[in-house]
Amino acid sequence: GENVEQHPSTLSVQEGDSAVIKCTYSDSASNYFPWYKQELGKRPQLIIDIRSNVGEKKDQRIAVTLNKTAKHFSLHITETQPEDSAVYFCAANINTNAGKSTFGDGTTLTVKP
Amino acid sequence: GAVVSQHPSWVICKSGTSVKIECRSLDFQATTMFWYRQFPKQSLMLMATSNEGSKATYEQGVEKDKFLINHASLTLSTLTVTSAHPEDSSFYICSARGGIMAKNIQYFGAGTRLSVL
């Protein structure tokens, strides 16, 4: 089955700096890669996703890049703010009705004011 | 965006009792629902996947007789933890995925914190 590895497990940055979280996946059939943000005690929220026919996607301060050949994808957060502090999960999915997401282990991001 | 409602948000029960958790998709039809378990500071561990009207597919190591999943309609799935024990204490999160309106994206419920005394 699919295996998703996520690094780093913890990341601490100064407010205003950029943060990068990287994930690799094993199943070349995966074609949908969402990123979720989970604040303490709350539900995971989809923040950005990318499909395999696209190499990069950007939404304001958040961007995701995908390298299908290398089977890795990354989340980039620029101009970080304290409210960006949370746990971030990447996932890989074969986007069919029967497919399921395989999640990475999560990255705890702390943005210091 | 699509909304998934999960109830209860917190439940405390005695050892040996059963607990039912409901997961509802409020504004879309969820063809597939997922149940996860999450331990403190850990990732989402998929327990089972259920498609409406069919039996759930359980992940390896998850006892199907202990964690009963019912997906009777396109908007409701339930997880029943039978004969709960303290080691079942955890955060359980459901997620639902629908068709065109939800763009096949998974939307998560707010989770249920189960404490078994």
Side-chain angles (χ1 to χ4, degrees), chain A residues 39-68:
Chain A
E39 296 177 17
L40 190 63
K42 296 190 176 180
R43 74 184 80 196
Q45 298 267 24
L46 179 71
I47 55 171
I48 196 168
D49 57 9
I50 191 167
R51 298 180 191 272
S52 60
N53 57 346
V54 175
E56 183 174 359
K57 184 177 178 180
K58 190 173 182 180
D59 183 3
Q60 299 183 342
R61 296 187 296 109
I62 296 172
V64 57
T65 59
L66 170 65
N67 183 327
K68 280 208 70 179

Side-chain angles (χ1 to χ4, degrees), chain A residues 18-78:
Chain A
S18 295
V20 180
I21 302 170
K22 298 182 179 181
C23 289
T24 61
Y25 62 100
S26 61
D27 192 339
S28 57
S30 290
N31 58 6
Y32 174 61
F33 308 92
W35 285 88
Y36 292 88
K37 175 184 180 182
Q38 187 179 26
E39 296 177 17
L40 190 63
K42 296 190 176 180
R43 74 184 80 196
Q45 298 267 24
L46 179 71
I47 55 171
I48 196 168
D49 57 9
I50 191 167
R51 298 180 191 272
S52 60
N53 57 346
V54 175
E56 183 174 359
K57 184 177 178 180
K58 190 173 182 180
D59 183 3
Q60 299 183 342
R61 296 187 296 109
I62 296 172
V64 57
T65 59
L66 170 65
N67 183 327
K68 280 208 70 179
T69 303
K71 295 207 273 288
H72 65 70
F73 55 113
S74 301
L75 177 72
H76 304 252
I77 306 174
T78 58

Side-chain angles (χ1 to χ4, degrees), chain B residues 34-81:
Chain B
F34 305 88
W35 286 95
Y36 295 87
R37 185 172 179 176
Q38 189 176 34
F39 293 100
K41 298 185 178 180
Q42 293 192 24
S43 189
L44 298 154
M45 185 191 81
L46 181 64
M47 299 174 66
T49 303
S50 73
N51 294 297
E52 184 265 338
S54 60
K55 290 183 178 180
T57 301
Y58 288 81
E59 294 299 302
Q60 194 172 9
V62 178
E63 298 176 60
K64 62 180 181 181
D65 294 330
K66 181 166 187 61
F67 299 100
L68 300 179
I69 291 171
N70 184 284
H71 191 167
S73 76
L74 282 171
T75 59
L76 174 65
S77 177
T78 60
L79 166 68
T80 301
V81 183

